[in-house]
Amino acid sequence: MIENITFDVRERSSLAFAREEVLSDYRTGWLSRHVSLIGRREVMSGNARFGVFGDGKEVAQLAMAHVMRPGDIRAGYYRDQTLFFALGLLTPQQFFAQLFGHTDVTADPSSAGRLMNAHFSTRLLDSDGSWVPQLTKPQSSADISPTAGQMPRLVGLAYASRLYRELDDLRNLVQFSDHGNEVAFGTIGNASCAEGFFWEALNAIGVLQAPVVISIWDDGYGISVPNEYQIIGGNLSALLEGFRRRPGADQGFDLYTVRGWDYPALRKVYLCATERARAHHIPAIIHVTEMTQPQGHSTSGSHERYKSPERLAWERAHDPLAAMRAWILEHGLAAPKELDAIESETRAEAEAARERAWEAFLAEPRAEARELADLIAAVAPTAPDPAAFQRMATEMRAARKPLRRPLLATAHTALVQTRGRSTPARERLASWYHEQVARGRKRYGSHLYREDAMAAARVPETPVRYADGAPEVRGFEILRATFDYWLARDPRVCIFGEDVGALGDVNQGTSGLQQKYGPLRVSDTGIREATIVGQAIGMALRGLRPIAEIQYLDYILYAISPLSDDLANLHWRTCGGQAAPVIVRTRGHRLEGVWHSGSQMGALAHLLRGMHICVPRDMTRAAGFYNTLLRAEEPALVVEVLNSYRLRERLPANIGEHTIPLGVPEILRPGDDVTVVTYGACCAIALEAARALEKVGIDVEVIDVQTLLPFDIHGIILESLEKTSRIIFFDEDVPGGASAYMLQHIIEVQGGFWHLDAPPVTVTAQPHRPAYGGDGDYFSKPNAEDLFDAVYALMSEAEPARHPPLY
């Protein structure tokens, strides 16, 4: 047993610091500082829109860089530029490119101009979507802005190392891990430690004993709010004591406190913490105190507004680079003139990087401005005010920093003013305008979903097959057989969640699988939905295929931030540079009570763009979706129907192999009078209503959409509407939820309006949550009688003699 250690930051390190190594650090620290200072200037001059920088955090990050190895991975936030410079993962020119918003992925490899500056990542996928080897350099998961939002995924980034170390079947995945010897590094600001995600992640990491080194950059404030308003007692080190790993214990963290300006102490702390995390999978928290923030939080405000003169003077006296300079001089590692030269040279280097980034950023828009000027000048002779058009052309040629937004606005103005004039010059201008708009949409909108061979849309359909005399089994048995197939076939697949392991999930979909595959493949977790999803994100980023269970759809709201802010837009915000093929498994719709009968599908369809949302009506279709998704590498949510686990279904002969294409509705019952569009648990109710309507002479076509994201990509529902000319959207979400989402797709996007002989109708749940009991369900959720009446009313209006009013 490795005992916990106590570290006194007043001790001086016994590390031998080579002069060249120290001066290289000093150079990198000052290069980063000049980048911060110049970056703020660029924002204040109007060349950039917003800036946030890592000044004051340089020395601690230099120490961290010394202990990160190839394959280690970071989940951090927007103060970590020095770390990236020190590791060679980012150049100053690339930093400035992101500050300016350059949309070339080579210029800004982290986000291709899609994110505010200082949001960092490394590219884990190559241009064709294949995984690149992760052991060639240190890596970074993609940053997000929501405070502490990086913490949930840190759980999985680190836990993956445990799986790679302890599961023999993963040892051949050498492109992702060196036998689990990688450490995940998390960074967070002191004020963000007040967020629940921080504490939930610490608890999960401590329980899992995942190899993490978490750094807290503590400069005493959260924007303008000091620590005493953020943390009980204002002292994070004291508050964290409950997480300390006690001698002989199997859980908990090594805890360290060290000052952010103390270079040798920082080097020793990071070496000690990382060696123990790497060798023994003992997580560590390093509370880096007495940090400074020379330029305040960001360019949106000045810290002189809320810091006292005494505090500002203290920060100047404790600047980490000034303290490092004093330490270098004290130990005779360099002369003052040598350090002066480093500071001067790095300023020039940062300025040159800014200039290169600026010129590269403007090169293409300048060319487009000249092109637009020529087009407008060509249109001028036939324009209503030729002189005004010539002035527009002159302004375009003279523009110092021609952003595309004013270029397109100018082109649009020219087209509006020349409307009704059909000339070759105007046609060329219109063509240029539409081409530029299309390019811009793609420039900022590509890669929301996979565009390569691992897209779910590329998985071929394999219809379900049944043997003669196929037995009827309970729905959960079909799911269990499917999960069994994948656990046996692919050692990367892991299933985890509340009650998933020993119990086999509350509906028995994983029963017996933990006993068969072990607790690392089929795992129980604590009640911690946000970090269940985060754990899956981190594991998937490191090459694993997690299926994360959220026990009920209602509780997915606990995890909506990591799902929406992190997972759903990961591929988009990295412009195809990262992917986390997480499958979130849950169950919903109808059971009992307010928080076990959720159907908040409209909200999820909007919040989770970038994920697929599958809403199978039974377990055979759920299994087909799992088979499709596990053959692809995209994130998805699968919502199983709560009351279908005990219903009998025929057992497929090709369990694990049959696939269902996403975005392809299924016609459950053909009909000629009215189209009813629905999904999930409502399918059975719609079929019940259709049978009742048939008895009164109304022929209903019932369509199961099967997936909400994507939605009816081949226009199957539109074809039905062309036949029936009447449509009802039947949905147990609240009014305006998924029903409005589906209606907009069919009536507006697909042009269904032109085929309507009657207004489209929605039949939905009530606006309140579902009440308890059978009667509560009946009056809260839409039922067969509600649908019957809605369909009958449409037909009564069309043929009142044949269908007289019911009431």
Side-chain angles (χ1 to χ4, degrees), residues 734-760:
V734 296
S739 58
Y741 165 82
M742 294 187 290
L743 185 151
Q744 187 263 346
H745 265 276
I746 301 306
I747 304 305
E748 179 186 346
V749 176
Q750 295 187 7
F753 172 83
W754 303 106
H755 303 290
L756 290 171
D757 285 346

PDB file of all heavy atoms in Angstrom, residues 734-760:
ATOM      1  N   VAL A 734     -45.266  18.127 -23.955  1.00  0.00           N
ATOM      2  CA  VAL A 734     -46.175  19.238 -23.699  1.00  0.00           C
ATOM      3  C   VAL A 734     -46.567  19.927 -25.002  1.00  0.00           C
ATOM      4  O   VAL A 734     -45.908  19.741 -26.031  1.00  0.00           O
ATOM      5  CB  VAL A 734     -45.530  20.265 -22.737  1.00  0.00           C
ATOM      6  CG1 VAL A 734     -45.272  19.655 -21.379  1.00  0.00           C
ATOM      7  CG2 VAL A 734     -44.248  20.829 -23.343  1.00  0.00           C
ATOM      8  N   PRO A 735     -47.629  20.730 -25.015  1.00  0.00           N
ATOM      9  CA  PRO A 735     -47.985  21.455 -26.237  1.00  0.00           C
ATOM     10  C   PRO A 735     -46.808  22.288 -26.738  1.00  0.00           C
ATOM     11  O   PRO A 735     -46.123  22.957 -25.957  1.00  0.00           O
ATOM     12  CB  PRO A 735     -49.145  22.352 -25.782  1.00  0.00           C
ATOM     13  CG  PRO A 735     -49.734  21.646 -24.599  1.00  0.00           C
ATOM     14  CD  PRO A 735     -48.585  20.978 -23.903  1.00  0.00           C
ATOM     15  N   GLY A 736     -46.570  22.237 -28.040  1.00  0.00           N
ATOM     16  CA  GLY A 736     -45.454  22.976 -28.610  1.00  0.00           C
ATOM     17  C   GLY A 736     -44.112  22.308 -28.416  1.00  0.00           C
ATOM     18  O   GLY A 736     -43.077  22.900 -28.736  1.00  0.00           O
ATOM     19  N   GLY A 737     -44.109  21.074 -27.923  1.00  0.00           N
ATOM     20  CA  GLY A 737     -42.852  20.354 -27.728  1.00  0.00           C
ATOM     21  C   GLY A 737     -42.430  19.654 -29.002  1.00  0.00           C
ATOM     22  O   GLY A 737     -42.246  20.277 -30.049  1.00  0.00           O
ATOM     23  N   ALA A 738     -42.301  18.348 -28.948  1.00  0.00           N
ATOM     24  CA  ALA A 738     -41.885  17.611 -30.141  1.00  0.00           C
ATOM     25  C   ALA A 738     -42.919  17.719 -31.256  1.00  0.00           C
ATOM     26  O   ALA A 738     -42.579  17.610 -32.433  1.00  0.00           O
ATOM     27  CB  ALA A 738     -41.626  16.148 -29.797  1.00  0.00           C
ATOM     28  N   SER A 739     -44.191  17.965 -30.905  1.00  0.00           N
ATOM     29  CA  SER A 739     -45.214  18.104 -31.945  1.00  0.00           C
ATOM     30  C   SER A 739     -44.926  19.317 -32.825  1.00  0.00           C
ATOM     31  O   SER A 739     -45.026  19.247 -34.055  1.00  0.00           O
ATOM     32  CB  SER A 739     -46.601  18.225 -31.315  1.00  0.00           C
ATOM     33  OG  SER A 739     -46.653  19.347 -30.432  1.00  0.00           O
ATOM     34  N   ALA A 740     -44.558  20.437 -32.217  1.00  0.00           N
ATOM     35  CA  ALA A 740     -44.225  21.627 -33.002  1.00  0.00           C
ATOM     36  C   ALA A 740     -42.956  21.409 -33.816  1.00  0.00           C
ATOM     37  O   ALA A 740     -42.846  21.885 -34.954  1.00  0.00           O
ATOM     38  CB  ALA A 740     -44.057  22.826 -32.072  1.00  0.00           C
ATOM     39  N   TYR A 741     -42.014  20.687 -33.242  1.00  0.00           N
ATOM     40  CA  TYR A 741     -40.775  20.368 -33.958  1.00  0.00           C
ATOM     41  C   TYR A 741     -41.086  19.558 -35.222  1.00  0.00           C
ATOM     42  O   TYR A 741     -40.598  19.859 -36.319  1.00  0.00           O
ATOM     43  CB  TYR A 741     -39.841  19.598 -33.028  1.00  0.00           C
ATOM     44  CG  TYR A 741     -38.696  18.897 -33.697  1.00  0.00           C
ATOM     45  CD1 TYR A 741     -37.539  19.588 -34.038  1.00  0.00           C
ATOM     46  CD2 TYR A 741     -38.764  17.536 -33.981  1.00  0.00           C
ATOM     47  CE1 TYR A 741     -36.482  18.941 -34.653  1.00  0.00           C
ATOM     48  CE2 TYR A 741     -37.710  16.886 -34.594  1.00  0.00           C
ATOM     49  CZ  TYR A 741     -36.572  17.593 -34.924  1.00  0.00           C
ATOM     50  OH  TYR A 741     -35.518  16.948 -35.538  1.00  0.00           O
ATOM     51  N   MET A 742     -41.925  18.534 -35.081  1.00  0.00           N
ATOM     52  CA  MET A 742     -42.273  17.695 -36.233  1.00  0.00           C
ATOM     53  C   MET A 742     -43.112  18.476 -37.244  1.00  0.00           C
ATOM     54  O   MET A 742     -42.909  18.366 -38.456  1.00  0.00           O
ATOM     55  CB  MET A 742     -43.024  16.443 -35.755  1.00  0.00           C
ATOM     56  CG  MET A 742     -42.173  15.500 -34.909  1.00  0.00           C
ATOM     57  SD  MET A 742     -42.995  13.925 -34.517  1.00  0.00           S
ATOM     58  CE  MET A 742     -44.282  14.460 -33.376  1.00  0.00           C
ATOM     59  N   LEU A 743     -44.049  19.267 -36.758  1.00  0.00           N
ATOM     60  CA  LEU A 743     -44.901  20.042 -37.640  1.00  0.00           C
ATOM     61  C   LEU A 743     -44.076  20.998 -38.494  1.00  0.00           C
ATOM     62  O   LEU A 743     -44.303  21.140 -39.702  1.00  0.00           O
ATOM     63  CB  LEU A 743     -45.937  20.800 -36.805  1.00  0.00           C
ATOM     64  CG  LEU A 743     -47.024  21.585 -37.549  1.00  0.00           C
ATOM     65  CD1 LEU A 743     -48.295  21.637 -36.693  1.00  0.00           C
ATOM     66  CD2 LEU A 743     -46.590  23.022 -37.851  1.00  0.00           C
ATOM     67  N   GLN A 744     -43.100  21.680 -37.892  1.00  0.00           N
ATOM     68  CA  GLN A 744     -42.270  22.622 -38.652  1.00  0.00           C
ATOM     69  C   GLN A 744     -41.515  21.908 -39.755  1.00  0.00           C
ATOM     70  O   GLN A 744     -41.388  22.415 -40.869  1.00  0.00           O
ATOM     71  CB  GLN A 744     -41.302  23.341 -37.703  1.00  0.00           C
ATOM     72  CG  GLN A 744     -40.509  24.463 -38.350  1.00  0.00           C
ATOM     73  CD  GLN A 744     -39.117  24.042 -38.798  1.00  0.00           C
ATOM     74  OE1 GLN A 744     -38.633  22.984 -38.412  1.00  0.00           O
ATOM     75  NE2 GLN A 744     -38.487  24.879 -39.619  1.00  0.00           N
ATOM     76  N   HIS A 745     -41.001  20.719 -39.462  1.00  0.00           N
ATOM     77  CA  HIS A 745     -40.282  19.958 -40.478  1.00  0.00           C
ATOM     78  C   HIS A 745     -41.174  19.621 -41.668  1.00  0.00           C
ATOM     79  O   HIS A 745     -40.785  19.796 -42.832  1.00  0.00           O
ATOM     80  CB  HIS A 745     -39.733  18.664 -39.872  1.00  0.00           C
ATOM     81  CG  HIS A 745     -38.319  18.778 -39.408  1.00  0.00           C
ATOM     82  ND1 HIS A 745     -37.237  18.613 -40.243  1.00  0.00           N
ATOM     83  CD2 HIS A 745     -37.807  19.059 -38.193  1.00  0.00           C
ATOM     84  CE1 HIS A 745     -36.126  18.781 -39.556  1.00  0.00           C
ATOM     85  NE2 HIS A 745     -36.439  19.046 -38.315  1.00  0.00           N
ATOM     86  N   ILE A 746     -42.372  19.124 -41.379  1.00  0.00           N
ATOM     87  CA  ILE A 746     -43.227  18.636 -42.467  1.00  0.00           C
ATOM     88  C   ILE A 746     -43.905  19.788 -43.200  1.00  0.00           C
ATOM     89  O   ILE A 746     -43.908  19.839 -44.443  1.00  0.00           O
ATOM     90  CB  ILE A 746     -44.288  17.658 -41.916  1.00  0.00           C
ATOM     91  CG1 ILE A 746     -43.600  16.468 -41.233  1.00  0.00           C
ATOM     92  CG2 ILE A 746     -45.197  17.177 -43.045  1.00  0.00           C
ATOM     93  CD1 ILE A 746     -42.593  15.745 -42.099  1.00  0.00           C
ATOM     94  N   ILE A 747     -44.459  20.720 -42.474  1.00  0.00           N
ATOM     95  CA  ILE A 747     -45.262  21.774 -43.096  1.00  0.00           C
ATOM     96  C   ILE A 747     -44.384  22.837 -43.744  1.00  0.00           C
ATOM     97  O   ILE A 747     -44.669  23.297 -44.851  1.00  0.00           O
ATOM     98  CB  ILE A 747     -46.203  22.418 -42.054  1.00  0.00           C
ATOM     99  CG1 ILE A 747     -47.079  21.336 -41.411  1.00  0.00           C
ATOM    100  CG2 ILE A 747     -47.043  23.506 -42.696  1.00  0.00           C
ATOM    101  CD1 ILE A 747     -47.855  20.503 -42.390  1.00  0.00           C
ATOM    102  N   GLU A 748     -43.292  23.209 -43.087  1.00  0.00           N
ATOM    103  CA  GLU A 748     -42.445  24.270 -43.630  1.00  0.00           C
ATOM    104  C   GLU A 748     -41.264  23.728 -44.428  1.00  0.00           C
ATOM    105  O   GLU A 748     -41.111  24.031 -45.624  1.00  0.00           O
ATOM    106  CB  GLU A 748     -41.929  25.158 -42.494  1.00  0.00           C
ATOM    107  CG  GLU A 748     -41.021  26.280 -42.980  1.00  0.00           C
ATOM    108  CD  GLU A 748     -40.402  27.078 -41.841  1.00  0.00           C
ATOM    109  OE1 GLU A 748     -40.873  26.940 -40.688  1.00  0.00           O
ATOM    110  OE2 GLU A 748     -39.444  27.828 -42.104  1.00  0.00           O
ATOM    111  N   VAL A 749     -40.420  22.906 -43.779  1.00  0.00           N
ATOM    112  CA  VAL A 749     -39.192  22.468 -44.427  1.00  0.00           C
ATOM    113  C   VAL A 749     -39.488  21.603 -45.644  1.00  0.00           C
ATOM    114  O   VAL A 749     -38.921  21.799 -46.730  1.00  0.00           O
ATOM    115  CB  VAL A 749     -38.289  21.715 -43.424  1.00  0.00           C
ATOM    116  CG1 VAL A 749     -37.050  21.172 -44.124  1.00  0.00           C
ATOM    117  CG2 VAL A 749     -37.892  22.640 -42.284  1.00  0.00           C
ATOM    118  N   GLN A 750     -40.396  20.625 -45.493  1.00  0.00           N
ATOM    119  CA  GLN A 750     -40.705  19.728 -46.606  1.00  0.00           C
ATOM    120  C   GLN A 750     -41.800  20.267 -47.533  1.00  0.00           C
ATOM    121  O   GLN A 750     -42.084  19.659 -48.551  1.00  0.00           O
ATOM    122  CB  GLN A 750     -41.106  18.351 -46.069  1.00  0.00           C
ATOM    123  CG  GLN A 750     -39.985  17.629 -45.337  1.00  0.00           C
ATOM    124  CD  GLN A 750     -40.348  16.204 -44.964  1.00  0.00           C
ATOM    125  OE1 GLN A 750     -41.393  15.689 -45.356  1.00  0.00           O
ATOM    126  NE2 GLN A 750     -39.490  15.546 -44.195  1.00  0.00           N
ATOM    127  N   GLY A 751     -42.387  21.397 -47.171  1.00  0.00           N
ATOM    128  CA  GLY A 751     -43.400  21.986 -48.046  1.00  0.00           C
ATOM    129  C   GLY A 751     -44.749  21.326 -47.969  1.00  0.00           C
ATOM    130  O   GLY A 751     -45.548  21.405 -48.918  1.00  0.00           O
ATOM    131  N   GLY A 752     -45.055  20.693 -46.842  1.00  0.00           N
ATOM    132  CA  GLY A 752     -46.329  20.003 -46.713  1.00  0.00           C
ATOM    133  C   GLY A 752     -47.543  20.920 -46.737  1.00  0.00           C
ATOM    134  O   GLY A 752     -48.662  20.463 -46.995  1.00  0.00           O
ATOM    135  N   PHE A 753     -47.346  22.212 -46.489  1.00  0.00           N
ATOM    136  CA  PHE A 753     -48.451  23.171 -46.495  1.00  0.00           C
ATOM    137  C   PHE A 753     -49.271  23.077 -47.782  1.00  0.00           C
ATOM    138  O   PHE A 753     -50.500  23.183 -47.770  1.00  0.00           O
ATOM    139  CB  PHE A 753     -47.885  24.588 -46.342  1.00  0.00           C
ATOM    140  CG  PHE A 753     -48.882  25.684 -46.525  1.00  0.00           C
ATOM    141  CD1 PHE A 753     -49.700  26.076 -45.482  1.00  0.00           C
ATOM    142  CD2 PHE A 753     -49.024  26.323 -47.753  1.00  0.00           C
ATOM    143  CE1 PHE A 753     -50.640  27.082 -45.656  1.00  0.00           C
ATOM    144  CE2 PHE A 753     -49.959  27.329 -47.939  1.00  0.00           C
ATOM    145  CZ  PHE A 753     -50.773  27.713 -46.881  1.00  0.00           C
ATOM    146  N   TRP A 754     -48.597  22.874 -48.901  1.00  0.00           N
ATOM    147  CA  TRP A 754     -49.269  22.902 -50.201  1.00  0.00           C
ATOM    148  C   TRP A 754     -50.161  21.685 -50.422  1.00  0.00           C
ATOM    149  O   TRP A 754     -50.960  21.667 -51.372  1.00  0.00           O
ATOM    150  CB  TRP A 754     -48.225  23.005 -51.311  1.00  0.00           C
ATOM    151  CG  TRP A 754     -47.372  24.209 -51.130  1.00  0.00           C
ATOM    152  CD1 TRP A 754     -46.081  24.262 -50.696  1.00  0.00           C
ATOM    153  CD2 TRP A 754     -47.774  25.571 -51.332  1.00  0.00           C
ATOM    154  NE1 TRP A 754     -45.635  25.558 -50.616  1.00  0.00           N
ATOM    155  CE2 TRP A 754     -46.651  26.389 -51.007  1.00  0.00           C
ATOM    156  CE3 TRP A 754     -48.962  26.185 -51.762  1.00  0.00           C
ATOM    157  CZ2 TRP A 754     -46.702  27.775 -51.093  1.00  0.00           C
ATOM    158  CZ3 TRP A 754     -48.996  27.567 -51.847  1.00  0.00           C
ATOM    159  CH2 TRP A 754     -47.879  28.350 -51.521  1.00  0.00           C
ATOM    160  N   HIS A 755     -50.075  20.687 -49.563  1.00  0.00           N
ATOM    161  CA  HIS A 755     -50.888  19.473 -49.741  1.00  0.00           C
ATOM    162  C   HIS A 755     -52.026  19.392 -48.723  1.00  0.00           C
ATOM    163  O   HIS A 755     -52.733  18.388 -48.685  1.00  0.00           O
ATOM    164  CB  HIS A 755     -49.997  18.235 -49.610  1.00  0.00           C
ATOM    165  CG  HIS A 755     -48.850  18.231 -50.572  1.00  0.00           C
ATOM    166  ND1 HIS A 755     -49.015  18.056 -51.926  1.00  0.00           N
ATOM    167  CD2 HIS A 755     -47.515  18.404 -50.373  1.00  0.00           C
ATOM    168  CE1 HIS A 755     -47.831  18.114 -52.528  1.00  0.00           C
ATOM    169  NE2 HIS A 755     -46.910  18.321 -51.609  1.00  0.00           N
ATOM    170  N   LEU A 756     -52.203  20.425 -47.916  1.00  0.00           N
ATOM    171  CA  LEU A 756     -53.194  20.381 -46.846  1.00  0.00           C
ATOM    172  C   LEU A 756     -54.581  20.764 -47.345  1.00  0.00           C
ATOM    173  O   LEU A 756     -54.753  21.774 -48.042  1.00  0.00           O
ATOM    174  CB  LEU A 756     -52.805  21.329 -45.713  1.00  0.00           C
ATOM    175  CG  LEU A 756     -51.585  20.934 -44.860  1.00  0.00           C
ATOM    176  CD1 LEU A 756     -51.215  22.077 -43.931  1.00  0.00           C
ATOM    177  CD2 LEU A 756     -51.884  19.672 -44.055  1.00  0.00           C
ATOM    178  N   ASP A 757     -55.580  19.976 -46.974  1.00  0.00           N
ATOM    179  CA  ASP A 757     -56.982  20.340 -47.168  1.00  0.00           C
ATOM    180  C   ASP A 757     -57.617  20.785 -45.857  1.00  0.00           C
ATOM    181  O   ASP A 757     -58.787  21.181 -45.835  1.00  0.00           O
ATOM    182  CB  ASP A 757     -57.778  19.154 -47.723  1.00  0.00           C
ATOM    183  CG  ASP A 757     -57.481  18.909 -49.194  1.00  0.00           C
ATOM    184  OD1 ASP A 757     -56.885  19.809 -49.832  1.00  0.00           O
ATOM    185  OD2 ASP A 757     -57.823  17.824 -49.692  1.00  0.00           O
ATOM    186  N   ALA A 758     -56.857  20.694 -44.791  1.00  0.00           N
ATOM    187  CA  ALA A 758     -57.332  21.130 -43.466  1.00  0.00           C
ATOM    188  C   ALA A 758     -56.112  21.556 -42.661  1.00  0.00           C
ATOM    189  O   ALA A 758     -54.991  21.123 -42.947  1.00  0.00           O
ATOM    190  CB  ALA A 758     -58.075  19.997 -42.767  1.00  0.00           C
ATOM    191  N   PRO A 759     -56.308  22.415 -41.657  1.00  0.00           N
ATOM    192  CA  PRO A 759     -55.155  22.829 -40.850  1.00  0.00           C
ATOM    193  C   PRO A 759     -54.500  21.636 -40.171  1.00  0.00           C
ATOM    194  O   PRO A 759     -55.190  20.685 -39.763  1.00  0.00           O
ATOM    195  CB  PRO A 759     -55.772  23.778 -39.806  1.00  0.00           C
ATOM    196  CG  PRO A 759     -57.063  24.228 -40.402  1.00  0.00           C
ATOM    197  CD  PRO A 759     -57.553  23.073 -41.224  1.00  0.00           C
ATOM    198  N   PRO A 760     -53.173  21.660 -40.031  1.00  0.00           N
ATOM    199  CA  PRO A 760     -52.513  20.579 -39.281  1.00  0.00           C
ATOM    200  C   PRO A 760     -52.915  20.640 -37.818  1.00  0.00           C
ATOM    201  O   PRO A 760     -53.194  21.720 -37.280  1.00  0.00           O
ATOM    202  CB  PRO A 760     -51.024  20.879 -39.479  1.00  0.00           C
ATOM    203  CG  PRO A 760     -50.961  22.347 -39.734  1.00  0.00           C
ATOM    204  CD  PRO A 760     -52.213  22.683 -40.491  1.00  0.00           C
TER     205      PRO A 760
END
